[in-house]
């Protein structure tokens, strides 16, 4: 994998956690509002690459000359800080890193 030098944060949610939020919305008193879904913790790009390098033998190289995609609109931190879904009982059970590692392991297990 070839990647640029820019580190960033993203949030990935486990399927079970998303289902839990949907169930909480269904069970909550009816109201017209939105809830953000979130994991226990977002993950940094280089934290994810290191974990996948160790766990799945991912080979990656950083190209210092690469620019961030869409430099004019690129966000280093792209995840919600609105945790109001906790008010309807939503409590995430997994971090982004745990979620991605578990899902990739399942995919690789299905392929292998």
């Amino acid at each position: 994998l070839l990647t640029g030098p820019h580190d960033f944060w993203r949030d990935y949610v486990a399927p079970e956690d998303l289902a839990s939020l949907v169930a909480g919305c269904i069970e909550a008193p009816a109201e017209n509002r939105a809830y953000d879904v979130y994991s226990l913790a977002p993950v940094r790009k280089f934290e994810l690459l290191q974990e996948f390098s160790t766990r799945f033998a991912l080979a990656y190289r950083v190209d210092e000359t690469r620019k961030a995609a869409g430099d004019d609109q690129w966000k280093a931190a792209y995840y919600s800080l609105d945790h109001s879904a906790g008010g309807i009982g939503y409590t995430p059970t997994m971090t982004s890193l745990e979620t991605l590692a578990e899902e990739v392991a399942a995919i690789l297990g299905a392929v292998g």
Side-chain angles (χ1 to χ4, degrees):
L1 174 74
L2 181 62
T3 188
H6 305 290
D7 203 6
F8 54 82
W9 294 84
R10 296 294 184 266
D11 201 9
Y12 303 94
V13 178
E16 298 84 1
D17 286 344
L18 178 58
S20 171
L21 177 61
V22 170
C25 289
I26 291 169
E27 294 168 8
E31 63 179 316
N32 185 14
R33 68 160 299 162
Y35 291 105
D36 288 349
V37 65
Y38 50 91
S39 71
L40 277 175
V43 65
R44 287 182 29 251
K45 176 179 88 172
F46 287 107
E47 177 185 17
L48 179 62
L49 290 173
Q50 182 58 49
E51 177 69 19
F52 278 27
S53 175
T54 301
R55 192 167 187 174
F56 303 113
L58 172 70
Y60 70 93
R61 184 170 52 91
V62 177
D63 178 353
E64 297 293 336
T65 65
R66 291 187 77 159
K67 292 184 176 185
D71 268 349
D72 58 332
Q73 297 176 2
W74 183 77
K75 290 185 176 186
Y78 194 72
Y79 55 90
S80 179
L81 296 175
D82 178 357
H83 293 183
S84 61
I88 60 168
Y90 173 66
T91 305
T93 61
M94 296 178 71
T95 66
S96 292
L97 185 58
E98 292 167 337
T99 295
L100 291 171
E102 185 174 287
E103 294 302 315
V104 168
I107 291 167
L108 293 176
V111 172

